[in-house]
Amino acid sequence: MLAYKLTNTQRGELVGQLFAPNQFFNPVPNIDGVYFIFKSEVENCVNEEFMWVKQLAKQEFIPLKK
């Protein structure tokens, strides 16, 4: 699955922030501890402060095993 890779700084900026009314960013770690956000967060972002997420690079996301 493709997702949008974040740096640690970017992750810190997004945690708990709204990307649209009543919708919060939720960065999720992959198996290597690198954080990502997903298509719906990027495509539905209307918060002017975070429009930069639309420029993030897509990468393969391998989730943590449960």
Side-chain angles (χ1 to χ4, degrees), residues 12-20 23-26 47 49-50:
E13 291 175 16
L14 296 181
V15 170
Q17 298 297 318
L18 292 167
F19 64 86
Q23 295 182 302
F24 291 88
F25 285 106
N26 183 33
N47 185 333
E49 186 177 348
F50 301 111

Side-chain angles (χ1 to χ4, degrees), residues 1-39:
M1 151 184 11
L2 291 177
Y4 298 83
K5 183 179 178 182
L6 299 170
T7 65
N8 286 335
T9 300
Q10 291 168 328
R11 175 195 167 270
E13 291 175 16
L14 296 181
V15 170
Q17 298 297 318
L18 292 167
F19 64 86
N22 300 314
Q23 295 182 302
F24 291 88
F25 285 106
N26 183 33
V28 176
N30 72 356
I31 60 171
D32 297 320
V34 176
Y35 280 81
F36 288 78
I37 56 174
F38 297 92
K39 183 178 179 179

Side-chain angles (χ1 to χ4, degrees), residues 54-66:
K54 295 181 182 283
Q55 306 302 316
L56 292 170
K58 289 183 190 176
Q59 254 188 290
E60 186 66 26
F61 175 79
I62 302 170
L64 294 167
K65 304 237 188 253
K66 292 185 178 184

Side-chain angles (χ1 to χ4, degrees), residues 41-59:
E41 293 166 285
V42 173
E43 288 184 355
N44 295 316
C45 182
V46 294
N47 185 333
E48 291 294 324
E49 186 177 348
F50 301 111
M51 295 304 278
W52 54 263
V53 299
K54 295 181 182 283
Q55 306 302 316
L56 292 170
K58 289 183 190 176
Q59 254 188 290

